[in-house]
């Protein structure tokens, strides 16, 4: 297997504050990789640095052979990285349709974009019922579906998801995870940041544990799920 | 009644000009949260470019028959291009490098650019108002009790057509949608592949083009161009944008017409020296009692 994404010795700072220190990650084509860690460990920072939203202080991010350092976020998106950001960040003042259309911003052919919007609506039928509704009036679960749907329109090779289950009812979480399984089955490689570590490890092939901006552990998902230290820290005592 | 209608027509004409300028403030504010204080001077520049073209063509004897229509079109297009490029140039040279600076920095820069443009235009055209060539024939038409000039109709029609075009552009076109997306959430817009810098540049280009249209119709309507025109008209248009809800396109249009009416009727009823007081009292009242303006968002979005 070849590495689709490789992060080497990544350092990111906010002003003088070190957020990531020497992060190494590798994501192979076709994998689902979970990124776990406590609040403030640096999970969101990692994804934002990969997408070009944060400047890389030192280290490399290589996607499919291209070095992403110094590339703008829109250029990185067009290379084939989709990012469903923390907090969903849908365009609340626009309709569901307009949000999906914007997901296809880089697609030149109108017809092709329309086909892909139809595909996304087939995955999330709830969105079809609300297609002309202002996105800000959707429920939390629907907004998350829209955020994922919007990212799928570009057919990214790599999809980064930042806590897609946050604040959602268990039934909706289950639905979202089923969709992720489905997206993966169609050939999309996934990096999943989750608080819900149990669900994330059940879905993932491998996982990394971040602590204070450094990689504390990496292993197969099965091994992490059985590790007493990981269980105690992230899986809770249920 | 007769006088009332005349003031109404006058208010609509003024309002159309303020609305066009107000749109430029609101488009730029919407996307950068910057009050582009130099915008009024971009309007002045458009006026002088149109004036220059008309003077040149008249001197060449080209403004007869079909040449008149072509000449007017040439002056309008030149004003649009000049103002658009000037505004985009200001963004590129002065504001872009301040994108990540504290918000006060671009604001102060905008004031500085405004002073600079005013002084450059004064150097170029002198400190006295320059008469705008009176080339558009202006027979008066009697419609019921209303008497309007053809010129007034042309000015208002041009402004309204421009605003309708802008509305469809922003709502329907791909670039218009990108502008709205960047205005709402710059990071999210870049994650779907929108080039944020280019979209902001295009927004300045369009805001400048609208100021160019305003510069042309303002010159025709006021009959002169002056290096400080943009200061007064800019402040009124800014008031209009705030009244309508800064960042809101329909609000800028509505605010423009309301401020035009207010100026026209206050001049008539309480005298021209008081119309400034009336207009800027509105600005203060809106800022105090309804900072989001008439059409601005008042309800927080569901998160
Ligand atoms: N804009 C910012 N300015 C300064 N510090 C920041 C900024 N964003 C994040 N940080 C800091 O960087 C560190 C990592 O934050 P990050 O958001 O990546 O954590 P996270 O793992 O995603 O946490 P959570 O689970 O709460 O989302 C934290 O200490 C945080 O306080
Ligand atoms: Mg986070």
């Amino acid at each position: 297997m070849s590495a689709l994404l490789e992060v080497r010795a990544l350092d990111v700072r906010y002003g003088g504050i070190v957020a990531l220190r020497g992060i190494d990650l590798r994501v192979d084509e076709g994998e689902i990789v979970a990124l776990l860690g406590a609040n403030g460990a640096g999970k969101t920072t990692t994804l934002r640095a990969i997408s070009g939203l944060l400047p890389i202080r030192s280290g490399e991010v290589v996607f499919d052979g291209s070095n992403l350092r110094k590339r703008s976020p829109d250029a990185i998106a067009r290379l084939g990285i989709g990012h469903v950001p923390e907090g969903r960040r849908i365009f609340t003042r626009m309709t569901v349709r307009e949000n999906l259309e914007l997901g296809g911003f880089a697609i030149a052919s109108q017809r092709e974009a329309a086909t892909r919007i139809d595909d996304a609506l087939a995955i999330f039928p709830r969105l079809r019922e609300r297609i002309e509704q202002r996105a800000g009036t959707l429920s939390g679960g629907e907004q998350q579906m829209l955020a994922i749907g919007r990212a799928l329109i570009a057919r990214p090779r790599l999809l980064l998801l930042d806590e897609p289950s946050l604040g959602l009812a268990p039934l909706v979480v289950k639905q979202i995870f089923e969709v992720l399984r489905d997206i993966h089955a169609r050939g999309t490689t996934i990096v999943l940041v989750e608080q819900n570590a149990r669900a994330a490890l059940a879905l993932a092939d491998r996982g990394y544990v971040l602590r204070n901006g450094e990689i504390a552990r990496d292993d197969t998902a099965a091994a992490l799920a059985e590790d007493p230290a990981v269980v105690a820290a992230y899986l809770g005592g249920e | 009644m007769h006088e009332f209608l005349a003031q109404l027509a006058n208010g609509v004409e003024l309002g159309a000009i303020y609305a066009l300028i107000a749109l430029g403030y609101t488009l730029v504010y919407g996307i950068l949260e910057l009050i582009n204080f130099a915008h009024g001077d971009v309007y002045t520049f458009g006026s002088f470019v149109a004036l220059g073209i008309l003077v040149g063509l008249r001197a060449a004897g080209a403004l007869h028959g079909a040449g008149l229509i072509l000449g007017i079109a040439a002056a309008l297009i030149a004003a649009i291009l000049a103002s658009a490029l000037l505004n985009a140039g200001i963004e590129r040279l002065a504001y872009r490098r301040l994108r990540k600076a504290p918000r006060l920095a671009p604001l102060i820069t905008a004031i500085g650019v405004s002073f600079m443009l005013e002084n450059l235009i004064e150097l170029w055209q002198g400190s006295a108002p320059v008469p705008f060539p009176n080339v558009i024939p202006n027979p008066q038409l009697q419609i019921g009790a209303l008497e309007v000039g053809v010129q007034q109709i042309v000015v208002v029609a041009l402004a309204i057509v421009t605003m309708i075009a802008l509305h469809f552009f922003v709502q329907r076109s791909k670039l218009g949608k990108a502008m709205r997306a960047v205005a709402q959430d710059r990071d999210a817009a870049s994650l779907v592949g929108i080039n944020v810098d280019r979209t902001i540049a295009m927004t300045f280009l369009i805001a400048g083009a609208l100021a160019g249209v305003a510069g042309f119709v303002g010159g025709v309507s006021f009959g002169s161009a002056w290096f400080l025109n943009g200061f007064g008209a800019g402040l009124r248009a800014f008031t209009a944008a705030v009244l309508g809800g800064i960042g809101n396109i329909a609000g800028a249009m509505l605010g423009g017409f309301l401020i035009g009416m207010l100026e026209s009727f206050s001049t008539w009823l309480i005298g021209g020296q008081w119309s400034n007081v009336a207009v800027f009292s509105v600005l203060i009242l809106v800022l105090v009692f309804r900072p989001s303006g008439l059409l601005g968002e008042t309800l927080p979005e569901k998160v």
Side-chain angles (χ1 to χ4, degrees):
Chain A
M1 276 216 243
S2 62
L4 182 61
L5 177 77
E6 218 173 337
V7 175
R8 293 188 215 110
L10 176 68
D11 271 37
V12 174
R13 294 187 183 184
Y14 293 104
I17 305 160
V18 178
L20 297 181
R21 192 183 296 115
I23 297 277
D24 294 300
L25 293 173
R26 178 194 160 98
V27 181
D28 287 335
E29 182 108 53
E31 273 192 310
I32 300 183
V33 172
L35 199 55
L36 310 175
N39 291 125
K43 306 179 296 293
T44 298
T45 304
T46 306
L47 296 193
R48 288 174 62 83
I50 293 169
S51 291
L53 292 172
L54 289 173
I56 293 169
R57 189 182 159 84
S58 67
E60 307 290 338
V61 178
V62 180
F63 173 71
D64 192 27
S66 323
N67 197 327
L68 302 189
R69 205 172 164 183
K70 304 242 162 96
R71 276 187 211 251
S72 62
D74 56 293
I76 291 172
R78 285 193 296 266
L79 281 178
I81 297 185
H83 187 157
V84 180
E86 187 171 64
R88 300 160 194 145
R89 308 285 287 267
I90 55 169
F91 301 110
T92 52
R93 294 202 293 269
M94 296 194 211
T95 64
V96 169
R97 185 192 297 284
E98 287 174 323
N99 269 272
L100 294 172
E101 284 169 353
L102 282 163
F105 185 79
I107 301 167
S109 149
Q110 289 255 349
R111 180 175 307 180
E112 175 64 20
T115 312
R116 294 196 193 181
I117 289 174
D118 254 7
D119 291 349
L121 292 173
I123 299 174
F124 299 111
R126 286 280 279 276
L127 296 180
R128 195 190 292 278
E129 295 161 27
R130 289 159 174 73
I131 190 85
E132 304 300 345
Q133 198 171 313
R134 256 165 68 121
T137 64
L138 296 176
S139 76
E142 290 159 355
Q143 292 196 8
Q144 189 63 62
M145 293 174 193
L146 180 57
I148 297 172
R150 182 181 67 183
L152 289 180
I153 307 290
R155 296 213 178 128
R157 288 179 66 195
L158 174 66
L159 184 60
L160 314 174
L161 294 129
D162 200 339
E163 303 205 30
S165 75
L166 191 69
L168 303 184
L171 202 66
V172 183
V173 174
K174 194 162 160 269
Q175 226 178 328
I176 299 257
F177 272 80
E178 271 162 21
V179 166
L180 295 185
R181 197 183 297 278
D182 197 48
I183 293 166
H184 174 249
R186 298 181 201 194
T188 308
T189 306
I190 291 178
V191 173
L192 178 61
V193 165
E194 260 301 334
Q195 293 286 334
N196 191 340
R198 194 180 300 278
L201 289 174
L203 186 68
D205 301 301
R206 289 188 304 115
Y208 291 86
V209 178
L210 272 170
R211 188 181 301 140
N212 294 329
E214 293 178 281
I215 300 281
R217 283 223 41 196
D218 71 296
D219 212 327
T220 62
L224 289 173
E226 277 160 20
D227 183 315
V230 174
V231 171
Y234 309 109
L235 299 187
E238 42 162 324
Chain B
M1 186 61 188
H2 181 264
E3 183 59 19
F4 175 83
L5 287 176
Q7 292 303 333
L8 193 69
N10 189 31
V12 170
E13 185 181 7
L14 273 175
I17 298 164
Y18 294 154
L20 284 174
I21 308 174
L23 282 166
Y25 281 103
T26 238
L27 285 172
V28 165
Y29 186 87
I31 209 157
L32 277 190
E33 293 191 8
L34 166 72
I35 297 163
N36 181 14
F37 279 110
H39 190 70
D41 307 300
V42 172
Y43 154 81
T44 308
F45 182 65
S47 243
F48 273 114
V49 168
L51 184 149
I53 300 277
L54 288 177
V55 168
L57 288 175
R58 188 174 56 186
L63 293 180
H64 296 292
L68 178 62
I69 304 282
L70 288 177
I72 290 170
L76 174 63
I77 291 168
I80 290 172
L81 288 178
S83 292
L85 291 175
L86 175 61
N87 210 35
I90 294 169
E91 188 275 324
R92 183 71 191 84
L93 294 176
Y95 303 151
R96 186 176 296 185
R97 63 190 76 229
L98 297 173
R99 206 86 95 209
K100 293 194 171 82
R103 276 180 60 182
L104 202 54
L107 202 66
I108 302 287
T109 304
I111 294 172
V113 172
S114 171
F115 282 141
M116 217 174 74
L117 287 177
E118 281 165 13
N119 285 299
L120 286 173
I121 295 173
E122 187 186 8
L123 265 177
W124 175 39
Q125 292 285 342
S127 53
V130 181
F132 209 85
N134 206 349
V135 292
I136 301 185
N138 195 20
Q140 298 291 304
L141 301 179
Q142 192 72 40
I143 307 168
L146 175 67
E147 193 185 332
V148 288
V150 166
Q151 214 170 21
Q152 260 178 326
I153 295 175
V154 170
V155 162
V156 173
L158 199 53
I160 288 176
V161 167
T162 305
M163 286 186 249
I164 292 172
L166 177 77
H167 174 80
F168 281 102
F169 173 79
V170 169
Q171 288 303 319
R172 302 282 170 80
S173 77
K174 203 163 174 174
L175 179 58
K177 281 178 194 154
M179 280 166 58
R180 286 189 288 145
V182 173
Q184 271 185 52
D185 189 330
R186 203 180 290 177
D187 281 353
S190 67
L191 289 180
V192 298
I194 294 171
N195 183 327
V196 171
D197 277 343
R198 189 186 303 157
T199 306
I200 292 172
M202 290 304 298
T203 304
F204 273 81
L205 211 59
I206 290 162
L210 295 169
V213 176
F216 175 83
V217 295
V220 169
S221 169
F222 300 131
S224 69
W226 184 41
F227 79 106
L228 280 181
N229 262 353
F231 180 73
L235 265 179
R236 284 178 177 74
F238 172 66
T239 303
V242 172
L243 174 62
I246 187 116
N248 184 302
I249 288 177
M253 300 184 195
L254 175 66
F257 284 106
L258 289 177
I259 292 296
M261 293 292 178
L262 179 64
E263 181 175 337
S264 170
F265 280 99
S266 61
T267 302
W268 176 40
L269 297 172
I270 55 178
Q273 68 275 33
W274 292 101
S275 90
N276 271 341
V277 177
V279 168
F280 298 120
S281 301
V282 166
L283 179 59
I284 292 165
L285 290 175
V286 172
L287 287 176
V288 171
F289 292 108
R290 201 182 157 89
S292 59
L294 295 175
L295 302 186
E297 299 278 332
T298 46
L299 296 172
E301 295 287 342
K302 199 191 260 181
V303 182

